[in-house]
Amino acid sequence: MTLPLRPIAHAAALAALLASGAAQADTGKLVLTGGVSSITGSAGGGITPWAVIGTQATEGELGFSAYGTRAGTHDYALSSYGAAIGWQDRVELSLARQDFDAAPAFALNGIAPFGVAPGQHIKMDVLGLKVKLLGDAILDADTWVPQVALGLEHKQVRPGSLQSVLDFLGTKTSGTDLYLSATKLLLDKRLLVNTTLRYTNANQNGLLGFGSAAPGKNSRSLQPEFSIAYLLRHNLAVGAEYRFKPNNLQALGAAAGLGAALREDDWKDVFVAWAPSKNVSLTLAWVDLGRIVPGVTRDRRQTGYYLSAQVAF
């Protein structure tokens, strides 16, 4: 998906990141400064990681967070859940599991005898590691230096009866994304901005495998991702995200006479995030995942909702 698709737990993190007068957690970290969980389990926004380290742990402490997400579009749905450990506000280890309802893929049997089962789901596990390199999104709010973190996401896909389709596409069922994120809090403007640069060959975030047979793109490419969030009050934020995608498979589909049937579009969302307490955050978003295998969905754009909840200690 995204879908993501979980496509979007965001800036409830911001609610804390921006609140200079907000109450502090028992650990000494401002409420929500560990961010919320993205669809791949790392702290940040819903469809892109931020440089923040998840959980409520600060220096010298170990913290824990867990999340659950549900996203739905015109033709697809994604459920995701996971957990993360934060150590000394510097290192984050996360694990997520995604369950993508790929039922429309049954129509691929009309193109070739792929043997796709009705109601097929794609499962994907994501192991993430993030290390803060420099800066502090909160304490350095009066400087132009952002918080910067380096991360990786190792993904393993279990496509079920869609394995024959991935074999046709020449995609691998495992891959690793590398990313560099920079997060900056503009305290006087009540604004948080994030930029992430991802080095990847994942198709639809990895749900359709990694790379492509020729003439598709098999090698990795750099893809930018952006987030912005505005604090309405100390525990309520609104914002948006945009994530560029590599579109590795379209050339292969065109060469096979399928036109743009395998096209991959960029993802985007608009969200509202609310933190009813220092340990709980809720995110609701409208998402636009573009076209996902448009050859089996009548070229419909996959727009819909995203709902996520997180607890962090």
XYZ file of all heavy atoms in Angstrom, residues 201-287:
659
model
N 14.329 0.249 -3.712
C 13.801 -0.325 -4.947
C 12.480 -1.050 -4.673
O 12.085 -1.949 -5.416
C 14.811 -1.272 -5.606
C 15.097 -2.510 -4.759
O 14.783 -2.547 -3.567
N 15.711 -3.515 -5.367
N 11.794 -0.639 -3.596
C 10.538 -1.280 -3.196
C 9.395 -0.855 -4.114
O 9.284 0.312 -4.496
C 10.208 -0.925 -1.755
N 8.526 -1.804 -4.430
C 7.316 -1.538 -5.196
C 6.131 -1.490 -4.240
O 5.896 -2.445 -3.492
C 7.085 -2.653 -6.225
C 8.289 -2.876 -7.108
O 8.866 -1.934 -7.643
N 8.698 -4.133 -7.252
N 5.406 -0.364 -4.245
C 4.296 -0.174 -3.312
C 4.742 -0.470 -1.886
O 4.142 -1.254 -1.166
C 3.099 -1.035 -3.707
C 2.500 -0.704 -5.053
C 1.914 0.688 -5.155
O 1.739 1.383 -4.151
N 1.596 1.117 -6.361
N 5.851 0.159 -1.500
C 6.407 0.044 -0.153
C 6.951 -1.356 0.146
O 7.305 -1.660 1.274
C 5.372 0.427 0.902
C 5.975 0.753 2.244
O 7.030 1.374 2.323
N 5.330 0.332 3.319
N 7.005 -2.215 -0.882
C 7.491 -3.571 -0.712
C 6.415 -4.632 -0.853
O 6.717 -5.816 -0.990
N 5.149 -4.242 -0.831
C 4.064 -5.210 -0.918
C 4.030 -5.925 -2.259
O 3.502 -7.032 -2.372
C 2.726 -4.519 -0.642
C 2.523 -4.089 0.809
C 1.323 -3.163 0.936
C 2.343 -5.295 1.728
N 4.583 -5.305 -3.309
C 4.721 -5.960 -4.606
C 6.177 -6.317 -4.876
O 6.605 -6.393 -6.034
C 4.170 -5.064 -5.724
C 2.648 -4.926 -5.771
C 2.220 -4.060 -6.947
C 1.966 -6.288 -5.840
N 6.918 -6.540 -3.827
C 8.294 -6.982 -3.973
C 9.259 -5.838 -4.216
O 8.929 -4.657 -4.058
N 10.459 -6.211 -4.654
C 11.565 -5.254 -4.775
C 12.243 -5.424 -6.125
O 12.598 -6.526 -6.523
C 12.570 -5.469 -3.648
C 11.945 -5.353 -2.281
C 11.297 -6.433 -1.715
C 11.970 -4.156 -1.587
C 10.692 -6.333 -0.473
C 11.365 -4.035 -0.352
C 10.719 -5.128 0.208
N 12.423 -4.290 -6.835
C 13.050 -4.313 -8.137
C 12.091 -4.761 -9.225
O 10.870 -4.809 -9.052
N 12.651 -5.119 -10.384
C 11.835 -5.503 -11.532
C 12.704 -6.193 -12.572
O 13.906 -5.927 -12.674
C 11.189 -4.258 -12.164
O 10.551 -4.567 -13.382
N 12.075 -7.067 -13.352
C 12.745 -7.602 -14.531
C 12.850 -6.494 -15.580
O 12.071 -5.530 -15.568
C 11.959 -8.785 -15.089
N 13.789 -6.609 -16.489
C 13.940 -5.633 -17.566
C 12.688 -5.670 -18.469
O 12.072 -6.737 -18.641
C 15.193 -5.952 -18.373
N 12.295 -4.515 -19.001
C 12.958 -3.210 -18.955
C 12.534 -2.342 -17.769
O 12.726 -1.125 -17.790
C 12.511 -2.569 -20.264
C 11.107 -3.091 -20.446
C 11.143 -4.499 -19.938
N 11.962 -2.926 -16.741
C 11.658 -2.167 -15.530
C 12.932 -1.792 -14.793
O 14.034 -2.217 -15.157
N 12.781 -0.979 -13.740
C 13.937 -0.524 -12.960
C 14.206 -1.489 -11.818
O 13.350 -1.677 -10.951
C 13.686 0.885 -12.420
C 13.567 1.951 -13.502
C 13.547 3.348 -12.915
C 12.334 3.570 -12.041
N 12.245 4.954 -11.524
N 15.383 -2.081 -11.830
C 15.738 -3.034 -10.789
C 16.612 -2.417 -9.706
O 16.626 -2.874 -8.568
C 16.450 -4.240 -11.390
C 16.597 -5.384 -10.406
O 15.628 -5.823 -9.801
N 17.823 -5.857 -10.216
N 17.361 -1.375 -10.064
C 18.293 -0.761 -9.127
C 17.571 0.196 -8.183
O 16.435 0.624 -8.419
C 19.384 -0.005 -9.881
O 18.818 1.022 -10.673
N 18.248 0.533 -7.101
C 17.698 1.474 -6.130
C 17.742 2.893 -6.678
O 18.545 3.226 -7.551
C 18.507 1.433 -4.828
C 18.458 0.102 -4.103
C 19.479 0.093 -2.973
N 19.501 -1.174 -2.271
C 18.742 -1.457 -1.214
N 17.921 -0.535 -0.745
N 18.816 -2.627 -0.631
N 16.879 3.744 -6.120
C 16.879 5.168 -6.465
C 16.569 5.968 -5.216
O 16.047 5.443 -4.230
C 15.838 5.462 -7.549
O 14.534 5.102 -7.118
N 16.916 7.252 -5.255
C 16.651 8.142 -4.133
C 15.278 8.778 -4.301
O 14.984 9.378 -5.340
C 17.727 9.230 -4.045
C 19.120 8.767 -3.617
C 20.135 9.896 -3.790
C 19.110 8.279 -2.167
N 14.437 8.649 -3.268
C 13.073 9.170 -3.310
C 12.832 10.074 -2.103
O 12.965 9.639 -0.960
C 12.063 8.023 -3.301
C 12.208 7.047 -4.443
C 11.906 7.674 -5.792
O 11.026 8.532 -5.902
N 12.627 7.243 -6.814
N 12.483 11.351 -2.315
C 12.232 12.268 -1.193
C 10.838 12.102 -0.595
O 9.898 11.676 -1.278
C 12.392 13.647 -1.837
C 12.023 13.433 -3.269
C 12.458 12.033 -3.615
N 10.728 12.444 0.678
C 9.467 12.401 1.407
C 9.390 13.650 2.289
O 10.394 14.052 2.878
C 9.394 11.137 2.274
C 9.589 9.851 1.495
C 9.761 8.619 2.351
O 9.572 8.709 3.576
O 10.099 7.566 1.781
N 8.208 14.245 2.405
C 8.055 15.496 3.149
C 6.861 15.434 4.093
O 5.822 14.844 3.758
C 7.874 16.671 2.178
C 8.983 16.830 1.185
C 8.853 16.336 -0.102
C 10.172 17.444 1.549
C 9.872 16.465 -1.028
C 11.209 17.582 0.635
C 11.063 17.089 -0.648
N 7.013 16.063 5.255
C 5.919 16.190 6.223
C 5.912 17.607 6.769
O 6.965 18.229 6.945
C 6.098 15.211 7.393
O 6.189 13.881 6.958
N 4.721 18.100 7.048
C 4.567 19.396 7.715
C 3.380 19.289 8.665
O 2.381 18.645 8.342
C 4.372 20.546 6.701
C 4.368 21.895 7.423
C 3.106 20.343 5.870
C 4.458 23.083 6.474
N 3.501 19.873 9.849
C 2.432 19.796 10.846
C 2.328 21.124 11.583
O 3.345 21.766 11.869
C 2.695 18.671 11.829
N 1.107 21.515 11.892
C 0.840 22.781 12.578
C 0.048 22.496 13.852
O -0.944 21.759 13.835
C 0.056 23.724 11.679
C -0.273 25.047 12.345
C 0.707 26.028 12.513
C -1.557 25.311 12.816
C 0.416 27.235 13.128
C -1.863 26.515 13.430
C -0.862 27.474 13.583
O -1.154 28.664 14.202
N 0.494 23.083 14.958
C -0.147 22.862 16.250
C -1.311 23.821 16.452
O -1.140 25.039 16.503
C 0.875 23.062 17.364
C 0.380 22.798 18.773
C 0.075 21.322 18.970
C 1.411 23.248 19.789
N -2.514 23.263 16.559
C -3.701 24.063 16.841
C -3.806 24.382 18.328
O -4.191 25.491 18.710
C -4.952 23.321 16.378
C -5.053 23.086 14.865
C -6.274 22.226 14.558
C -5.124 24.410 14.113
N -3.501 23.395 19.155
C -3.375 23.580 20.592
C -2.387 22.541 21.093
O -1.858 21.767 20.300
C -4.729 23.496 21.303
C -5.483 22.189 21.167
C -6.739 22.234 22.043
N -7.392 20.949 22.137
C -8.498 20.631 21.481
N -9.058 21.523 20.677
N -9.043 19.429 21.633
N -2.110 22.499 22.388
C -0.979 21.717 22.868
C -1.105 20.221 22.592
O -0.105 19.514 22.537
C -0.782 21.947 24.377
C -1.687 21.133 25.240
N -2.973 21.527 25.533
C -1.491 19.942 25.861
C -3.536 20.613 26.315
N -2.654 19.643 26.539
N -2.337 19.729 22.355
C -2.503 18.293 22.118
C -3.247 17.986 20.823
O -3.781 16.897 20.648
C -3.235 17.645 23.288
C -4.659 18.148 23.433
O -5.020 19.184 22.869
N -5.474 17.433 24.189
N -3.286 18.945 19.894
C -4.010 18.752 18.638
C -3.230 19.380 17.492
O -2.852 20.554 17.557
C -5.404 19.383 18.724
C -6.301 19.214 17.499
C -6.670 17.736 17.320
C -7.562 20.061 17.645
N -2.981 18.586 16.448
C -2.203 19.070 15.309
C -2.847 18.642 14.005
O -3.537 17.620 13.931
C -0.771 18.534 15.375
N -2.629 19.441 12.967
C -3.051 19.088 11.614
C -1.833 19.181 10.707
O -0.874 19.909 10.996
C -4.167 20.026 11.106
C -5.428 19.866 11.926
C -3.699 21.480 11.103
N -1.866 18.455 9.601
C -0.715 18.501 8.717
C -0.925 17.693 7.457
O -2.035 17.235 7.156
N 0.173 17.510 6.720
C 0.120 16.792 5.453
C 1.466 16.140 5.195
O 2.506 16.567 5.734
C -0.236 17.749 4.321
N 1.437 15.109 4.350
C 2.661 14.412 3.961
C 2.626 14.125 2.460
O 1.554 13.973 1.866
C 2.811 13.093 4.710
C 3.022 13.248 6.204
C 3.247 11.894 6.866
O 2.339 11.058 6.835
O 4.339 11.701 7.414
N 3.816 14.028 1.879
C 3.938 13.671 0.456
C 5.148 12.765 0.317
O 6.234 13.090 0.791
C 4.119 14.905 -0.421
C 3.893 14.634 -1.892
C 2.690 14.978 -2.491
C 4.868 14.014 -2.677
C 2.459 14.725 -3.848
C 4.644 13.752 -4.020
C 3.439 14.111 -4.600
O 3.209 13.849 -5.933
N 4.937 11.630 -0.342
C 6.009 10.651 -0.502
C 6.160 10.269 -1.975
O 5.233 9.736 -2.586
C 5.717 9.408 0.342
C 6.733 8.288 0.181
C 6.473 7.180 1.189
N 7.310 6.022 0.927
C 7.351 4.932 1.679
N 6.580 4.866 2.765
N 8.128 3.920 1.363
N 7.318 10.555 -2.554
C 7.597 10.174 -3.935
C 7.874 8.668 -4.016
O 8.454 8.083 -3.107
C 8.798 10.955 -4.472
C 8.498 12.397 -4.761
C 8.596 13.359 -3.763
C 8.109 12.796 -6.024
C 8.322 14.691 -4.021
C 7.829 14.128 -6.306
C 7.937 15.074 -5.302
N 7.470 8.044 -5.131
C 7.622 6.606 -5.321
C 8.442 6.317 -6.577
O 8.420 7.081 -7.543
C 6.250 5.942 -5.430
C 5.303 6.263 -4.266
C 5.854 5.824 -2.929
C 5.909 4.321 -2.820
N 4.569 3.710 -2.995
N 9.141 5.172 -6.624
C 10.068 4.903 -7.732
C 9.422 4.443 -9.033
O 10.040 4.556 -10.101
C 10.972 3.806 -7.155
C 10.158 3.145 -6.101
C 9.311 4.227 -5.497
N 8.201 3.884 -9.017
C 7.522 3.447 -10.246
C 8.410 2.501 -11.063
O 8.639 2.703 -12.254
C 7.099 4.653 -11.079
C 6.117 4.283 -12.190
O 5.418 3.281 -12.103
N 6.095 5.083 -13.244
N 8.887 1.447 -10.427
C 9.824 0.525 -11.085
C 9.186 -0.346 -12.160
O 9.873 -0.793 -13.085
C 10.437 -0.415 -10.033
C 11.257 0.309 -8.995
O 11.953 1.267 -9.293
N 11.165 -0.139 -7.752
N 7.899 -0.643 -12.059
C 7.282 -1.700 -12.858
C 6.601 -1.221 -14.137
O 6.270 -2.038 -14.998
C 6.253 -2.455 -12.013
C 6.791 -3.165 -10.765
C 5.631 -3.700 -9.931
C 7.730 -4.292 -11.165
N 6.374 0.082 -14.305
C 5.561 0.544 -15.431
C 6.179 0.179 -16.783
O 5.470 -0.252 -17.699
C 5.327 2.045 -15.365
C 4.426 2.546 -16.499
C 3.981 3.982 -16.336
O 4.104 4.559 -15.270
N 3.451 4.558 -17.397
N 7.484 0.344 -16.924
C 8.135 0.034 -18.206
C 7.996 -1.444 -18.553
O 7.809 -1.816 -19.722
C 9.606 0.436 -18.157
N 8.071 -2.305 -17.544
C 7.883 -3.734 -17.771
C 6.465 -4.024 -18.247
O 6.246 -4.806 -19.192
C 8.175 -4.505 -16.484
C 7.873 -6.005 -16.493
C 8.743 -6.729 -17.505
C 8.071 -6.597 -15.093
N 5.486 -3.405 -17.607
C 4.101 -3.596 -18.016
C 3.848 -3.114 -19.430
O 3.141 -3.773 -20.205
N 4.423 -1.975 -19.790
C 4.242 -1.449 -21.138
C 4.846 -2.387 -22.181
O 4.261 -2.631 -23.241
C 4.872 -0.065 -21.242
N 6.030 -2.945 -21.878
C 6.689 -3.866 -22.810
C 5.897 -5.156 -22.986
O 5.969 -5.813 -24.030
C 8.094 -4.183 -22.313
N 5.112 -5.529 -21.947
C 4.291 -6.738 -22.020
C 2.925 -6.472 -22.638
O 2.061 -7.361 -22.643
C 4.124 -7.321 -20.614
N 2.707 -5.256 -23.147
C 1.448 -4.906 -23.778
C 0.359 -4.518 -22.813
O -0.820 -4.490 -23.178
N 0.741 -4.169 -21.568
C -0.251 -3.823 -20.545
C -0.396 -2.321 -20.337
O -1.112 -1.889 -19.441
C 0.141 -4.476 -19.212
C 0.259 -6.007 -19.220
C 0.741 -6.510 -17.870
C -1.065 -6.636 -19.597
N 0.280 -1.535 -21.156
C 0.199 -0.086 -21.020
C 0.700 0.370 -19.660
O 1.783 -0.013 -19.226
N -0.126 1.189 -18.958
C 0.241 1.699 -17.636
C -0.389 0.871 -16.523
O -0.590 1.365 -15.406
C -0.170 3.155 -17.496
N -0.679 -0.419 -16.803
C -1.399 -1.254 -15.837
C -0.623 -1.497 -14.551
O -1.219 -1.860 -13.535
C -1.749 -2.596 -16.476
N 0.702 -1.304 -14.564
C 1.520 -1.532 -13.368
C 2.073 -0.237 -12.795
O 2.976 -0.260 -11.965
C 2.681 -2.484 -13.702
C 2.281 -3.880 -14.191
C 3.518 -4.699 -14.511
C 1.422 -4.598 -13.161
N 1.529 0.874 -13.193
C 2.014 2.174 -12.750
C 1.930 2.315 -11.233
O 0.985 1.837 -10.600
C 1.196 3.281 -13.414
C 1.554 4.675 -12.934
C 0.631 5.717 -13.540
N 0.943 7.036 -13.016
C 1.197 8.095 -13.779
N 1.186 7.977 -15.088
N 1.461 9.260 -13.230
N 2.932 3.001 -10.654
C 2.931 3.309 -9.224
C 2.985 4.819 -9.043
O 3.884 5.479 -9.578
C 4.131 2.666 -8.523
C 4.211 2.974 -7.040
C 5.377 2.281 -6.356
O 6.255 1.744 -7.056
O 5.420 2.295 -5.110
N 2.046 5.376 -8.295
C 1.972 6.821 -8.089
C 2.522 7.211 -6.719
O 2.666 6.365 -5.822
C 0.519 7.297 -8.192
C -0.029 7.176 -9.602
O 0.756 7.342 -10.552
O -1.240 6.911 -9.745
N 2.780 8.495 -6.550
C 3.203 9.017 -5.260
C 2.053 8.923 -4.258
O 0.883 8.869 -4.633
C 3.635 10.480 -5.391
C 4.814 10.653 -6.334
O 5.540 9.664 -6.572
O 5.011 11.781 -6.839
N 2.421 8.915 -2.973
C 1.433 8.891 -1.893
C 1.325 10.264 -1.250
O 2.312 11.010 -1.175
C 1.845 7.907 -0.801
C 1.784 6.471 -1.207
C 1.185 5.939 -2.305
C 2.357 5.371 -0.488
N 1.337 4.578 -2.327
C 2.049 4.207 -1.227
C 3.080 5.265 0.692
C 2.450 2.937 -0.809
C 3.476 3.998 1.105
C 3.165 2.840 0.360
N 0.156 10.566 -0.721
C -0.035 11.832 0.003
C -1.155 11.658 1.015
O -1.994 10.758 0.887
C -0.338 12.982 -0.961
C -1.555 12.754 -1.825
C -1.720 13.851 -2.876
C -0.752 13.682 -4.019
N -1.125 12.564 -4.924
N -1.166 12.537 2.017
C -2.234 12.489 3.014
C -2.391 13.840 3.693
O -1.492 14.676 3.679
C -1.967 11.415 4.065
C -0.780 11.737 4.956
O -0.880 12.666 5.793
O 0.266 11.092 4.827
N -3.565 14.023 4.271
C -3.868 15.170 5.132
C -4.409 14.582 6.428
O -5.304 13.727 6.404
C -4.906 16.106 4.497
C -5.248 17.247 5.451
C -4.401 16.641 3.163
N -3.880 15.021 7.576
C -4.206 14.345 8.829
C -4.544 15.314 9.962
O -4.216 16.495 9.919
C -3.033 13.482 9.273
C -1.800 14.286 9.618
C -1.620 14.822 10.885
C -0.819 14.508 8.671
C -0.500 15.572 11.207
C 0.317 15.255 8.975
C 0.475 15.784 10.241
N -5.195 14.736 10.959
C -5.381 15.416 12.239
C -4.940 14.430 13.316
O -5.298 13.250 13.263
C -6.844 15.867 12.442
C -7.807 14.700 12.322
C -7.006 16.568 13.786
N -4.143 14.894 14.260
C -3.616 14.033 15.322
C -3.976 14.636 16.674
O -3.826 15.835 16.893
C -2.111 13.892 15.192
N -4.419 13.778 17.569
C -4.879 14.217 18.895
C -4.226 13.348 19.957
O -4.152 12.128 19.819
C -6.400 14.093 18.980
C -6.981 14.393 20.328
C -6.727 15.472 21.118
C -7.944 13.595 21.038
N -7.461 15.402 22.280
C -8.211 14.264 22.254
C -8.600 12.393 20.755
C -9.121 13.755 23.182
C -9.504 11.891 21.682
C -9.751 12.581 22.884
N -3.742 13.986 21.011
C -3.128 13.270 22.131
C -3.971 13.487 23.381
O -3.809 14.495 24.078
C -1.709 13.776 22.359
N -4.886 12.573 23.695
C -5.719 12.736 24.885
C -4.934 12.637 26.180
O -5.401 13.107 27.223
C -6.742 11.600 24.760
C -6.076 10.585 23.901
C -5.226 11.361 22.945
N -3.745 12.015 26.145
C -2.868 11.955 27.306
C -1.437 11.856 26.820
O -1.189 11.694 25.631
C -3.214 10.752 28.204
O -2.743 9.544 27.619
N -0.478 11.921 27.745
C 0.931 11.878 27.363
C 1.336 10.531 26.785
O 2.348 10.433 26.083
C 1.814 12.196 28.571
C 1.791 11.105 29.636
C 2.624 11.494 30.836
C 2.607 10.399 31.907
N 3.335 10.793 33.116
N 0.572 9.487 27.053
C 0.927 8.138 26.612
C 0.118 7.637 25.420
O 0.417 6.569 24.892
C 0.766 7.133 27.756
C 1.644 7.451 28.943
O 1.152 7.748 30.027
N 2.941 7.421 28.742
N -0.898 8.382 25.001
C -1.804 7.912 23.949
C -1.922 8.955 22.849
O -2.038 10.157 23.127
C -3.204 7.612 24.521
C -4.164 7.187 23.416
C -3.119 6.532 25.594
N -1.882 8.509 21.599
C -2.130 9.396 20.468
C -3.033 8.708 19.464
O -2.952 7.496 19.267
C -0.814 9.811 19.792
O -0.143 8.683 19.259
N -3.918 9.489 18.835
C -4.852 8.998 17.830
C -4.693 9.845 16.578
O -4.598 11.075 16.665
C -6.293 9.089 18.334
C -6.601 8.351 19.642
C -8.007 8.698 20.112
C -6.451 6.843 19.463
N -4.689 9.204 15.418
C -4.521 9.920 14.165
C -5.577 9.493 13.163
O -5.820 8.301 12.974
C -3.131 9.656 13.557
O -2.129 10.021 14.500
C -2.923 10.465 12.289
N -6.211 10.474 12.537
C -7.184 10.230 11.481
C -6.727 10.991 10.251
O -6.343 12.167 10.350
C -8.580 10.704 11.906
C -9.683 10.600 10.847
C -9.955 9.134 10.497
C -10.956 11.284 11.339
N -6.753 10.341 9.086
C -6.249 10.994 7.885
C -7.054 10.609 6.653
O -7.659 9.533 6.583
C -4.785 10.629 7.667
N -7.045 11.516 5.691
C -7.483 11.214 4.331
C -6.233 10.920 3.529
O -5.258 11.685 3.583
C -8.225 12.408 3.736
C -8.507 12.239 2.255
C -9.554 11.578 1.685
C -7.717 12.753 1.175
N -9.469 11.631 0.320
C -8.352 12.350 -0.025
C -6.545 13.503 1.101
C -7.852 12.683 -1.290
C -6.035 13.823 -0.145
C -6.690 13.423 -1.325
N -6.232 9.788 2.804
C -5.044 9.401 2.064
C -5.353 9.270 0.579
O -6.464 8.923 0.177
C -4.463 8.070 2.577
C -4.045 8.190 4.033
C -5.462 6.928 2.422
